[in-house]
Amino acid sequence: MRIHAKLTLITTAVTALLIPLTAAPATATPASARHAANAATTRRDLPEPPPADIVRKELGELNVAAPHPMIGYSRAKFPHWIIQYGTCDTREVVLARDGHDVVQDDQCRAVSGTWVSPYDDKVFTASGQLDIDHVVPLANGWRSGADEWTTAKRRQFANDLTNPQLVAVSASSNRSKGDQSPDQWAPPLRSYWCTYSRAWTHVKYVYNLNITEAEKNKLNEMLDTCEA
């Protein structure tokens, strides 16, 4: 009986050791899945605009007016990129926010990472290939009422990290856009129209900027894609 009892104890101990070894493959996470999960938790995009229904109400409250003249306009009247903290200026903060696995040097410059331009879905691994776009361009802001602002308010507008005003995009898409409003230029990637129109409208609403009739009509069209 004692021999049988010892055999039972040995068998139980061996089984206890083997169970974690055989169960491990079923619960282990593949390296690719771990990388994807990490990317998902570290990636941050431009601040999320309000939902389409709220943005439509904001759009309805915006003042429709003819553009102000460009007399006196200069990008220098919208000081950017300002230091946000330490040695990090607004551009570097947005690059770190909008990229995957971004590594910065001791001067806060993005030396590696991966970025997907939301305007055209192009992928980049060098920060120099990206521009930081003002969703509502500085010149458009000037024509919409920023010509009457103080320099301090224009600085805030040009470096706004709180509202959906800044986004890292391909240099080619940013330069194609220039200072055009949505009725003149829209992101080539139509699936981004919903976000873009919500962001554009909300920024204009926050800063109490004017819109044109053509701009309003196009924004309504783009907001329709949110319901598609």
Side-chain angles (χ1 to χ4, degrees), residues 105-136:
D105 64 14
D106 58 1
Q107 296 300 309
C108 203
R109 294 170 298 201
V111 295
S112 65
T114 303
W115 292 267
V116 180
S117 169
Y119 288 176
D120 48 18
D121 210 33
K122 294 180 179 178
V123 179
F124 301 95
T125 56
S127 62
Q129 298 172 309
L130 296 142
D131 283 351
I132 306 304
D133 182 45
H134 291 94
V135 173
V136 176

Side-chain angles (χ1 to χ4, degrees), residues 143-213:
R143 292 192 297 269
S144 304
D147 57 332
E148 299 173 354
W149 292 352
T150 63
T151 299
K153 187 170 182 180
R154 288 194 286 263
R155 180 188 297 111
Q156 177 188 357
F157 178 76
N159 298 275
D160 190 345
L161 296 171
T162 302
N163 295 293
Q165 166 66 337
L166 300 171
V167 60
V169 301
S170 66
S172 60
S173 66
N174 185 47
R175 292 162 198 185
S176 171
K177 171 183 173 179
D179 64 357
Q180 299 178 93
S181 55
D183 54 300
Q184 301 164 322
W185 185 93
L189 193 65
R190 188 181 175 87
S191 60
Y192 198 69
W193 281 19
C194 174
T195 300
Y196 187 78
S197 58
R198 286 159 53 219
W200 180 287
T201 303
H202 186 62
V203 168
K204 285 222 160 175
Y205 180 81
V206 168
Y207 285 95
N208 196 30
L209 291 169
N210 300 331
I211 56 172
T212 66
E213 191 65 44

Side-chain angles (χ1 to χ4, degrees), residues 10 26 40 83 85 87-88 113-114 182-183 228:
I10 291 170
I83 297 296
Y85 55 84
T87 59
C88 301
T114 303
D183 54 300

